Amino acid sequence: MKNHSWMPFALGYMGPGLAGWFGAQRQRFFEVGEVRIAILSLLSEGPKHGYQLMKEMGERSGGMYQASAGSVYPTLQQLEDEKLVESKHEDGRRVYQLTAAGRAELESDPESARRIWERAESWDDWGRNYGPEVMAMFGPLGELIKASFRAAKWAAAKPEREDRLRAVLSRTCRDLEQLVKK
């Protein structure tokens, strides 16, 4: 069994999805207050019930983020208390829709919603390429990352070495992409 002591250190640098694959704690998808913005943003596209909101958040992140009832429903209740959304019962479900005040709240800072969904797209990129078959490559991938870290330390603050390392890493990425295209 190989020693994978590099993992806790490396996972902080690998992007949002890979940490979760190794069983480490992933970085948070939503920062404080962002679930609220995400819900308002999704409701700006049309009425939805809570499960639809949770499902869409998961889909937009490629499955790398799974919204929980414990975060979505209390936020919906708060938004309803603030009169930013309203709900009605349809087919046995509570369906939420944006009010004019909710739309104004969302439009007061459109960059916030844009940033959330851009981040979701980057998580989606990780999620699209993840599956059970990837597990077989964790050992070799870990060794590649460890060797890359060692080489980065060797190259640090030496421009000619840094250029060589960048060339090797770029070539490796191109070679891997070529495998996928064959």
Side-chain angles (χ1 to χ4, degrees):
M1 182 91 182
K2 291 191 179 210
N3 177 355
H4 295 291
S5 59
W6 54 269
M7 281 188 196
F9 173 76
L11 295 174
Y13 297 96
M14 293 174 159
L18 202 51
W21 298 346
F22 285 104
Q25 185 175 6
R26 287 189 280 189
Q27 69 188 60
R28 290 174 53 138
F29 182 80
F30 286 115
E31 299 299 326
V32 175
E34 287 186 337
V35 170
R36 166 190 181 88
I37 296 164
I39 289 173
L40 290 173
S41 173
L42 292 172
L43 291 176
S44 74
E45 298 167 2
K48 294 176 175 56
H49 55 76
Y51 177 74
Q52 286 173 303
L53 292 166
M54 290 186 285
K55 184 177 178 195
E56 192 158 340
M57 287 180 196
E59 288 171 356
R60 287 191 182 202
S61 68
M64 298 303 289
Y65 170 78
Q66 293 299 315
S68 70
S71 64
V72 171
Y73 287 108
T75 304
L76 283 167
Q77 184 60 58
Q78 179 185 359
L79 292 170
E80 195 167 24
D81 292 347
E82 295 174 13
K83 310 240 184 287
L84 300 177
V85 302
E86 57 190 14
S87 67
K88 60 183 175 184
H89 287 277
E90 284 182 11
D91 299 323
R93 291 192 161 149
R94 200 166 168 186
V95 177
Y96 298 85
Q97 64 185 25
L98 211 53
T99 64
R103 190 166 305 284
E105 173 88 6
L106 186 59
E107 291 170 355
S108 72
D109 183 11
E111 288 301 304
S112 292
R114 184 191 59 75
R115 281 190 305 270
I116 289 169
W117 300 128
E118 280 180 1
R119 185 169 59 242
E121 284 178 26
S122 73
W123 283 49
D124 180 48
D125 189 42
W126 284 95
R128 263 183 281 129
N129 296 304
Y130 176 71
E133 64 281 355
V134 174
M135 299 297 275
M137 291 296 122
F138 279 3
L141 178 58
E143 294 303 313
L144 175 64
I145 292 167
K146 187 167 66 173
S148 298
F149 283 3
R150 235 184 343 262
K153 191 170 184 174
W154 164 81
K158 296 179 181 84
E160 61 284 344
R161 287 183 178 187
E162 290 174 348
D163 289 345
R164 283 178 59 196
L165 176 56
R166 278 190 199 91
V168 168
L169 293 173
S170 294
R171 187 171 51 250
T172 302
C173 287
R174 282 191 308 274
D175 289 351
L176 291 169
E177 289 299 327
Q178 286 301 316
L179 287 175
V180 175
K181 292 178 184 177
K182 290 182 180 179

